[in-house]
Amino acid sequence: MREEDMETAIKVVIVGNGAVGKSSMIQRYCKGIFTKEYKKTIGVDFLERQLEVNNEDVRLMLWDTAGQEEFDAITKAYYRGAQACVLAFSTVDRDSFDAVESWKKKVEDEVGEIGMVIIQNKIDLIDDTVVNDEEAEDLAKRLRLRFYRTSVKENLNVEEVFRYLSEKYLDQINCEVEEPETKIAIGQGLMDGGGITNNSKDKDSSKSKNKKIGNGKTSNKHRFKLRNGEDSTIKLEPSKRRTRGKKAIVTAKCVIL
């Protein structure tokens, strides 16, 4: 398969209390339809949509999960492997707002830290709101998450939510350390107990330990004496491990807010 024919698949889970508009949201986004009729999701539902983000083909796999506690055992299994998450609450449902943090914890307990957003849905019903603007914004700041006010009915900010999550995920997977010299320097610093510092003296002393080669690059070769008195040279290389054909994801952790 040619590189230009490849696409990035992103699994996104949409979580939150029942009746906040999760199913309506993915129906609107993937099919362009909206219905006022509420139908409780039993377990999980699944839809897909393809889009182009930063000149890359992306396939979003959207998993709509039931918001009722009786389905927790079922829905938790579907969190696994998720790379992004929408935390949803409703403008007219105070309990759904209070439950946002617990939904975040449920997802992170299964998959760790992934890209997330908080959405306040049904802002077309703002006259009946039970959540004021300040406390919703404070929650997003405290959790350090992007916050969107959406109306699935009016198709407001729905596209923006999923585009942001796609861009965030692509940024994360592209933020990899690819230079072998960088990996060695970090590893040596940790092993030597020196850590990583901006001290110029430390930088100078580390430079003096490495020899310069003709093209101006730092050599990672080290000379040592054998017991019989002969010189020999070894070359330090990054440790290698079998990945079964899979690319090692994010050698250095990147936090993108």
Side-chain angles (χ1 to χ4, degrees):
M1 179 181 288
R2 295 175 303 174
E3 186 175 350
E4 58 267 27
D5 293 332
M6 297 177 65
E7 65 179 11
T8 301
I10 308 174
K11 179 178 179 179
V12 184
V13 291
I14 297 90
V15 301
N17 284 11
V20 299
K22 302 186 299 296
S23 299
S24 297
M25 187 174 204
I26 69 169
Q27 290 280 342
R28 167 67 84 179
Y29 183 65
C30 295
K31 296 182 177 180
I33 61 175
F34 172 78
T35 177
K36 292 182 179 180
E37 184 179 338
Y38 172 63
K39 184 179 180 181
K40 182 168 67 174
T41 301
I42 307 298
V44 295
D45 198 2
F46 170 80
L47 286 174
E48 289 187 352
R49 176 169 165 177
Q50 289 182 299
L51 66 157
E52 185 177 294
V53 180
N54 300 333
N55 297 319
E56 292 190 46
D57 291 327
V58 173
R59 179 164 55 94
L60 288 181
M61 302 176 290
L62 306 177
W63 293 83
D64 166 31
T65 60
Q68 289 75 20
E69 288 187 7
E70 62 262 33
F71 297 116
D72 270 2
I74 300 173
T75 56
K76 279 184 179 180
Y78 288 92
Y79 298 160
R80 294 164 198 161
Q83 288 123 348
C85 175
V86 176
L87 302 168
F89 73 91
S90 168
T91 296
V92 294
D93 183 348
R94 180 73 197 190
D95 289 341
S96 69
F97 172 74
D98 294 335
V100 167
E101 286 189 75
S102 67
W103 283 110
K104 179 176 183 288
K105 184 177 185 304
K106 285 179 183 179
V107 174
E108 290 182 339
D109 284 347
E110 296 297 324
V111 300
E113 292 186 10
I114 57 176
M116 292 187 176
V117 295
I118 300 175
I119 68 162
Q120 176 182 353
N121 192 32
K122 303 186 182 181
I123 62 167
D124 49 288
L125 303 177
I126 197 68
D127 291 340
D128 301 316
T129 186
V130 292
V131 180
N132 65 55
D133 293 348
E134 291 77 14
E135 58 185 345
E137 292 166 6
D138 286 345
L139 175 65
K141 288 178 183 177
R142 181 157 48 83
L143 298 181
R144 300 182 66 186
L145 297 177
R146 181 72 65 92
F147 173 54
Y148 288 93
R149 292 186 171 91
T150 66
S151 170
V152 173
K153 179 182 178 182
E154 304 296 334
N155 198 21
L156 177 66
N157 283 335
V158 176
E159 294 268 349
E160 286 77 1
V161 168
F162 294 108
R163 180 162 291 275
Y164 165 74
L165 287 174
S166 301
E167 291 174 349
K168 185 177 178 68
Y169 179 71
L170 290 177
D171 286 343
Q172 287 174 329
I173 64 174
N174 289 330
C175 190
E176 299 177 4
V177 178
E178 296 180 351
E179 291 292 337
E181 290 82 6
T182 304
K183 292 181 182 179
I184 294 170
I186 293 173
Q188 288 174 335
L190 295 176
M191 288 187 288
D192 294 340
I196 300 173
T197 176
N198 291 324
N199 189 294
S200 59
K201 183 178 179 181
D202 290 341
K203 288 181 180 178
D204 293 338
S205 63
S206 65
K207 287 179 182 177
S208 65
K209 292 179 183 178
N210 296 317
K211 295 184 178 180
K212 295 289 183 178
I213 57 180
N215 59 7
K217 293 184 179 179
T218 302
S219 171
N220 58 352
K221 293 183 179 180
H222 286 240
R223 188 171 294 279
F224 66 99
K225 286 279 187 178
L226 296 176
R227 288 185 179 179
N228 60 10
E230 295 179 0
D231 284 349
S232 186
T233 303
I234 60 171
K235 184 174 180 180
L236 295 178
E237 295 181 347
S239 60
K240 298 177 181 179
R241 60 180 178 180
R242 297 184 184 276
T243 59
R244 298 179 181 176
K246 296 181 180 179
K247 193 175 182 182
I249 299 298
V250 188
T251 325
K253 184 177 180 181
C254 300
V255 180
I256 305 170
L257 299 176

